[in-house]
Amino acid sequence: MTSTPLKHDLRSVAAHFEIGGEFLEAAPYGTGHINDTYMVNYGKLEAATKYIFQRINHSIFKNPPALMDNVARVTSHVRRKLEERHADQIARRVLTLVPTREGGTWHVDAGGNHWRCYLFIERATTYDQITTAAQAREAAKAFGLFQKQLADLPPPRLHETVPGFHHSRQRFDALRAAVEEDPCNRAAAVKPDIEFCLRHEPMVDVLLALQARGVLPERVTHNDTKLNNVMLDDATGEGVCVIDLDTVMPGLSLYDFGDMCRTACSPTAEDERDLSRVEARMDIFEALVRGYLATAGGFLNPAEKDHLVFSARLITFEIGIRFLTDHLRGDRYFKIHRPGHNADRARVQFKMIESFERREAEMNRAVKEADA
Ligand code: ADP
Ligand code: GN1
Ligand code: MG
């Protein structure tokens, strides 16, 4: 583990949680763009027990108690389902919140930061890029199963942890406002990217209009199904656990399917600088459709199935818009690791959209065949 001083004092945070044994060490973990995630080891080094600690990013999630209420309800519901069917290794199939010493699910430190702790899921890995169709199928199966497990979540409706999170019209309008204000004088340098967005504007209203007409139903969805939010079993490759539950809330099934395509279909990471490497892989798309329909096909309605291909373009567009907006606003939302990082990320999304557009007929065929 690293010896660089950490941004937070994990030893004192961890003391507030119901964990026995001796605190050994903590280190930053993962490549998420939003929260601060740490792996913390307890016990003896040769037989350490690992935990995941997370500081919830409260400038994005304005109501951490409501968010934690969602997470607790969702994880208990999924756990109950697993218990009912006598599933094996339940602690690896659903996130387990470790309680605080006061019996709550989060701790607020002196700086007003909200912390939570999960059991560490062993012998499984998250991938920023996937290499095989089997990985794509397993990931999509796991996200589809997650939607299915939550289809009968009892009321009340989950809290909207970020209002309008997938409201693509609002995301587009926010981009337009950022272009007009241009607070960091960056718009001129990304003119072709802005023009790309303006040309694609009509896309942003399509699913919202279908939802307003009652054609697409509201469901409980994950809303952030990028590939590194599902853990694949190291031994079997199975999509063993869906993680990063901060955005689980009411949404459209297509938001989840679209984001899987956005992150899995390109052979590159989402911030690749060599755009010639960015393209939509059809073997991966087919595997995503098959995996997703294997678990979600039973409850999706015909309109949802008819828009699977479109959702890949729309969600890729929406996230591209968000990266570009953040670049124009001075990188205040997504963590960046180099200048221009968000603009690079945006361009990968736009390149993917062009590739999805070229392959639309093939993609439609893949859905028809998988749904036959
Ligand atoms: P962010 O919202 O910042 O993306 P995540 O909840 O996705 O945060 O966590 C970041 C990374 O930490 C994940 O991609 C995963 O690799 C790892 N991780 C998160 N929770 C667990 C867990 N319970 N067990 C093992 N690894 C985890
Ligand atoms: C963020 O938290 P993380 O890194 O899994 C973002 C998603 C974006 C994604 C782009 C709460 O996901 O919406 O699609 O980055 N999460 C939030 O990589 O905004
Ligand atoms: Mg994540």
Side-chain angles (χ1 to χ4, degrees), residues 32 224 226 228-229 244:
D224 188 4
K226 72 185 204 191
N228 66 16
N229 285 333
D244 202 346

Side-chain angles (χ1 to χ4, degrees), residues 35-293:
N35 295 314
D36 292 319
T37 301
Y38 296 89
M39 180 169 79
V40 174
N41 279 342
Y42 264 79
K44 297 205 174 5
L45 204 49
E46 61 278 12
T49 307
K50 294 179 194 154
Y51 297 88
I52 286 284
F53 276 79
Q54 286 181 316
R55 185 191 75 89
I56 299 171
N57 183 332
H58 57 249
S59 52
I60 290 175
F61 300 108
K62 309 270 190 230
N63 187 347
L67 181 156
M68 290 307 295
D69 183 50
N70 279 4
V71 173
R73 282 179 58 203
V74 162
T75 50
S76 314
H77 185 78
V78 172
R79 185 177 313 278
R80 226 176 358 259
K81 293 247 135 142
L82 293 167
E83 284 165 357
E84 275 164 21
R85 66 168 181 84
H86 305 291
D88 63 341
Q89 307 184 51
I90 290 181
R92 295 181 72 234
R93 296 189 186 281
V94 59
L95 284 174
T96 306
L97 283 165
V98 176
T100 64
R101 297 206 181 273
E102 292 82 45
T105 55
W106 75 89
H107 163 70
V108 187
D109 70 15
N113 296 305
H114 290 68
W115 290 88
R116 67 175 164 227
C117 172
Y118 288 121
L119 295 185
F120 188 92
I121 295 172
E122 300 275 2
R123 303 180 312 282
T125 306
T126 54
Y127 297 88
D128 291 342
Q129 283 154 264
I130 60 162
T131 43
T132 69
Q135 289 173 316
R137 190 188 59 234
E138 290 305 318
K141 250 167 97 172
F143 282 125
L145 175 65
F146 185 76
Q147 288 183 343
K148 185 174 168 186
Q149 286 166 328
L150 292 171
D152 60 351
L153 182 76
R157 194 170 180 263
L158 289 175
H159 306 282
E160 290 192 45
T161 56
V162 181
F165 191 63
H166 275 299
H167 199 294
S168 34
R169 165 50 61 188
Q170 283 172 16
R171 296 293 192 184
F172 186 88
D173 292 347
L175 170 67
R176 198 151 36 201
V179 172
E180 273 157 28
E181 275 177 53
D182 196 13
C184 305
N185 271 317
R186 292 179 173 180
V190 292
K191 192 160 175 267
D193 305 299
I194 294 169
E195 282 168 354
F196 178 94
C197 292
L198 295 176
R199 278 200 308 281
H200 285 77
E201 178 180 359
M203 269 165 64
V204 301
D205 297 316
V206 174
L207 297 190
L208 293 168
L210 290 169
Q211 184 179 11
R213 283 173 38 215
V215 176
L216 294 176
E218 178 178 286
R219 300 186 185 279
V220 175
T221 50
H222 183 281
N223 297 305
D224 188 4
T225 55
K226 72 185 204 191
L227 250 291
N228 66 16
N229 285 333
V230 59
M231 306 207 62
L232 303 186
D233 188 286
D234 291 338
T236 64
E238 181 194 4
V240 71
C241 188
V242 168
I243 62 167
D244 202 346
L245 307 180
D246 299 332
T247 54
V248 178
M249 56 179 152
L252 299 182
S253 59
L254 294 167
Y255 297 153
D256 286 357
F257 183 73
D259 207 8
M260 291 175 223
C261 300
R262 174 184 84 81
T263 49
C265 287
S266 172
T268 74
E270 71 179 2
D271 59 354
E272 173 63 50
R273 275 184 279 202
D274 178 359
L275 291 180
S276 70
R277 296 189 54 224
V278 176
E279 55 162 351
R281 294 177 289 183
M282 284 303 103
D283 59 329
I284 300 291
F285 178 75
E286 272 174 50
L288 290 173
V289 178
R290 285 187 189 278
Y292 183 57
L293 290 181

